[in-house]
Amino acid sequence: MNAFKSDVIGSLLRPQYLKDARTSLEAGRLTAPEFKRIEDRAVDEAVALQEDAGLDVVTDGEMRRYAFFGHLVEALEGFDRSAGWAITFRDDQGHKAQLDRPVVVDKLQWRRQMSVEEFTYLRGRTAKPVKVTLVSAQQAAAYYDPDKSKGAYATRDAYLADLVDFTRREIAELGRLGCEYVQIDAPQYAALLDETIREGYRQRGSDPDRMLDATIELDNAIVQGHSGITFGIHICRGNHKSMFYASGGYDRIAEKVFGRANFDRFLLEYDDARSGTFEPLRYLPDNRTVVLGLVSSKTPRMETAETLKSRIDEASRIVPLDRLALSPQCGFASTHEGNALSEADQQKKLELVAAVAKEVWS
């Protein structure tokens, strides 16, 4: 997997016809089989887009999810989809948007597989290497509320133990079916860079530093023992309607996360000053790959090849060039609403990632 020099984080902009179809499904105007055919069409188009762009790896664009974590909430019984701790996203122009998050309210039980359908359909639509995305224990920890969840789980640790077991079962089945690349999405790691969010955890009874130690161990437990699968971890500072919720360099978490998390590829947001410097990358072990998220999925502003190559060169002074790769800094639609750019903008950015990667690592 180190040979994959152009990567994509996961989600792509949902076509309008898919958004309209989901609204119709929820209103009872569309049947589940009819909706499934529309989803299939959207996945087919997402695959074609990534293949045409020349990327080394493709996903299904997360077209079957209402958000990047949707597979978890919809596959497992036990979550209230929108009654969790809300989080406020913002941008540099002062705009704000609130996102209601899930909360666990009952013991977790299987409803269906989380991502197996996504993988089996995707692998039949492309000859390219494919990637499946799941959420980290650190992300899922945010879905525990001491008041709303205690009837199901007396402690966050008890809930996360079940969460790890379910995720391991999912990965084992993916591996049995031939999946070779799984990305664990962990934006909550970057939340621990931001003092305001850290204080929010304290107010809900959690020590953020102890939480970091515990969830690194849980995420390691998720990925250990699955032979033949490359694991990536994606860390960003939030992505909803082109807005973010956290700021800060990786310095505060780098020694623990980079040094102790047992992932093969670290897909890191690095598209603007909010992400800090490349200096924390010095904590990465020598056998790991860093995928530099230098291309913004939040804005239509186009990066230049020259700027990207310069940034890659800068990073290579800390991590050798052969252990670097390139991607967008996040998905284009971590939630189904999508970011504030067009499908044409998205296509150009994916083409830029692939072209620069080919030039740098040819």
Side-chain angles (χ1 to χ4, degrees):
M1 295 291 175
N2 190 38
F4 297 162
K5 296 303 182 184
S6 58
D7 210 330
V8 62
I9 298 305
S11 64
L12 297 172
L13 294 172
R14 311 298 197 269
Q16 189 60 47
Y17 68 79
L18 179 60
K19 294 180 182 181
D20 293 342
R22 183 176 286 276
T23 299
S24 295
L25 175 72
E26 293 173 350
R29 298 190 298 270
L30 196 68
T31 67
E34 290 170 332
F35 181 65
K36 189 65 65 179
R37 286 190 288 272
I38 295 170
E39 280 185 329
D40 291 347
R41 172 190 166 191
V43 172
D44 292 347
E45 292 176 0
V47 170
L49 168 65
Q50 294 167 90
E51 288 183 333
D52 292 345
L55 295 169
D56 292 336
V57 182
V58 302
T59 74
D60 75 342
E62 298 180 1
M63 295 293 161
R64 304 187 194 278
R65 305 182 187 185
Y66 76 90
F68 76 96
F69 51 78
H71 63 289
L72 180 71
V73 176
E74 296 184 337
L76 299 182
E77 299 276 3
F79 289 103
D80 186 313
R81 177 168 161 169
S82 60
W85 173 47
I87 193 163
T88 300
F89 289 75
R90 60 190 185 278
D91 62 19
D92 294 328
Q93 288 73 50
H95 303 118
K96 294 183 179 181
Q98 186 165 293
L99 177 66
D100 293 328
R101 297 196 294 185
V103 61
V104 62
V105 293
D106 289 307
K107 292 282 285 187
L108 298 181
Q109 299 181 62
W110 280 112
R111 179 185 289 133
R112 60 171 174 80
Q113 296 287 153
M114 300 180 200
S115 58
V116 165
E117 178 193 3
E118 294 174 349
F119 170 70
T120 54
Y121 186 88
L122 177 61
R123 72 175 182 182
R125 293 301 187 276
T126 182
K128 290 261 192 179
V130 304
K131 175 166 67 176
V132 170
T133 62
L134 299 170
V135 298
S136 67
Q138 169 66 359
Q139 178 65 29
Y143 307 153
Y144 182 89
D145 181 277
D147 295 323
K148 296 178 181 178
S149 305
K150 64 183 178 183
Y153 293 98
T155 66
R156 178 182 281 104
D157 289 345
Y159 153 65
L160 289 175
D162 273 3
L163 187 282
V164 169
D165 286 343
F166 281 119
T167 307
R168 285 187 56 79
R169 286 170 58 185
E170 183 76 8
I171 293 171
E173 180 64 8
L174 287 167
R176 188 186 71 81
L177 293 169
C179 180
E180 296 180 326
Y181 187 7
V182 173
Q183 174 181 297
I184 304 297
D185 287 321
Q188 286 298 119
Y189 278 110
L192 297 177
L193 304 171
D194 192 296
E195 186 52 42
T196 300
I197 298 175
R198 289 169 66 88
E199 181 58 28
Y201 277 120
R202 294 187 192 101
Q203 290 176 6
R204 296 193 306 282
S206 298
D207 179 284
D209 293 317
R210 291 181 60 188
M211 203 167 147
L212 179 62
D213 291 332
T215 49
I216 289 172
E217 296 306 314
L218 290 170
D219 282 335
N220 283 344
I222 284 174
V223 303
Q224 72 182 9
H226 301 286
S227 61
I229 299 178
T230 292
F231 287 98
I233 184 169
H234 169 57
I235 302 175
C236 74
R237 291 153 184 78
N239 185 35
H240 173 58
K241 298 182 179 179
S242 287
M243 302 183 196
F244 56 86
Y245 64 69
S247 298
Y250 295 100
D251 310 72
R252 197 168 200 166
I253 64 171
E255 188 169 4
K256 289 183 178 181
V257 175
F258 296 166
R260 289 167 41 193
N262 296 330
F263 290 85
D264 306 292
R265 291 169 73 85
F266 286 76
L267 299 100
L268 304 177
E269 179 179 50
Y270 264 121
D271 64 321
D272 62 23
R274 283 186 306 108
S275 302
T277 71
F278 294 131
E279 186 62 28
L281 300 181
R282 71 186 187 276
Y283 290 109
L284 279 156
D286 291 341
N287 59 345
R288 309 296 164 80
T289 296
V290 179
V291 184
L292 299 171
L294 300 175
V295 175
S296 177
S297 67
K298 288 182 166 67
T299 170
R301 176 185 55 81
M302 278 298 296
E303 296 79 2
T304 67
E306 290 70 25
T307 299
L308 297 181
K309 287 186 285 187
S310 175
R311 294 280 281 156
I312 293 168
D313 180 66
E314 182 184 348
S316 72
R317 298 167 198 167
I318 298 172
V319 178
L321 186 62
D322 66 348
R323 291 198 293 113
L324 296 176
L326 181 63
S327 75
Q329 52 56 247
C330 197
F332 289 86
S334 297
T335 57
H336 69 91
E337 295 93 341
N339 288 341
L341 70 173
S342 70
E343 292 182 14
D345 296 326
Q346 174 181 254
Q347 179 178 349
K348 291 176 183 176
K349 285 174 177 279
L350 293 177
E351 290 171 347
L352 180 63
V353 167
V356 170
K358 285 183 172 63
E359 183 174 350
V360 171
W361 290 282
S362 57

